[in-house]
Amino acid sequence: MSEHQGEGDEGGASTPVGTRRTFFGWVTTVAAGLIGFGLAVPLVGYVISPALKRRERPWVDVGSLEEVPLGDPKQLDHVTTIQDGYLKNQSQKAVWAVKRPDGQVSVFSPMCTHLGCGYRWDGDVKQFKCPCHGSVFDIDGKVVAGPAPRPLDLLPSKIENGRLLVVFKEFKPGTKDIVEL
Ligand code: FES
């Protein structure tokens, strides 16, 4: 009898209370989840957005067009600021600018496409030469000799008010295809 009563009391009292507790537990969990999600979305966006923007590269003024002689490539140095996530890096870079008779200008990355060494212009033979492994390029950047797997890399450039503007990019050396880093 008492055994039966005990079961009944336990069963009668625990089921509705347990159900209510379970229900409020779920409500609390869902509410906490929604609040957490509401806080997390803007936070994640704040954290991730600089990383997504890190490939944005600015136009950089590398000098007056008058500095570049016709048909005689000129190395132009410039300081560029690159936003890499939260970091702003300033670095000195160089480009090679080639002015054509029609006024067009080509701008080459200063890194040899073989393994990334700096190259120079040899005015006597009118060729770019890399000292590391002997790659040679003509004035248009085409490979004339050596192990370079592709022509010199062209950089985006434009002329504004007599100034030469360039977007400095880096490319993976040693590959036939152009792969931007
Ligand atoms: S890095 Fe220029 S030839 Fe090798």
Side-chain angles (χ1 to χ4, degrees):
M1 173 90 177
S2 64
E3 198 177 298
H4 177 75
Q5 234 176 359
E7 277 177 15
D9 287 350
E10 200 176 287
S14 69
T15 304
V17 171
T19 305
R20 247 179 275 136
R21 279 192 187 145
T22 305
F23 173 72
F24 286 119
W26 272 102
V27 169
T28 307
T29 304
V30 169
L34 288 174
I35 291 169
F37 184 74
L39 291 172
V41 168
L43 184 65
V44 168
Y46 176 78
V47 170
I48 287 179
S49 62
L52 295 177
K53 284 181 185 168
R54 73 182 191 176
R55 286 204 173 260
E56 285 178 17
R57 296 176 196 274
W59 286 98
V60 178
D61 185 332
V62 293
S64 167
L65 203 55
E66 290 178 1
E67 291 179 48
V68 185
L70 188 63
D72 192 15
K74 167 127 181 158
Q75 183 174 331
L76 300 170
D77 297 318
H78 67 95
V79 175
T80 187
T81 304
I82 296 175
Q83 184 86 35
D84 188 1
Y86 298 105
L87 300 175
K88 265 189 184 176
N89 293 321
Q90 275 210 331
S91 59
Q92 183 152 3
K93 308 257 186 191
V95 296
W96 280 96
V98 182
K99 192 193 278 180
R100 318 275 174 190
D102 62 1
Q104 296 293 310
V105 175
S106 301
V107 178
F108 295 118
S109 161
M111 290 185 288
C112 175
T113 54
H114 178 223
L115 292 178
C117 285
Y119 56 86
R120 64 181 178 81
W121 174 247
D122 184 337
D124 293 338
V125 291
K126 303 256 178 238
Q127 290 175 327
F128 292 106
K129 291 183 174 174
C130 180
C132 290
H133 312 96
S135 287
V136 180
F137 307 85
D138 70 11
I139 196 168
D140 297 318
K142 290 188 193 121
V143 181
V144 175
R150 64 172 189 269
L152 294 175
D153 295 315
L154 273 170
L155 299 178
S157 64
K158 63 182 178 181
I159 298 162
E160 277 184 7
N161 302 320
R163 309 288 301 179
L164 181 58
L165 305 182
V166 172
V167 177
F168 193 89
K169 295 183 175 186
E170 291 182 354
F171 304 93
K172 187 175 179 183
T175 59
K176 193 167 172 42
D177 296 324
I178 300 170
V179 180
E180 190 180 339
L181 296 174

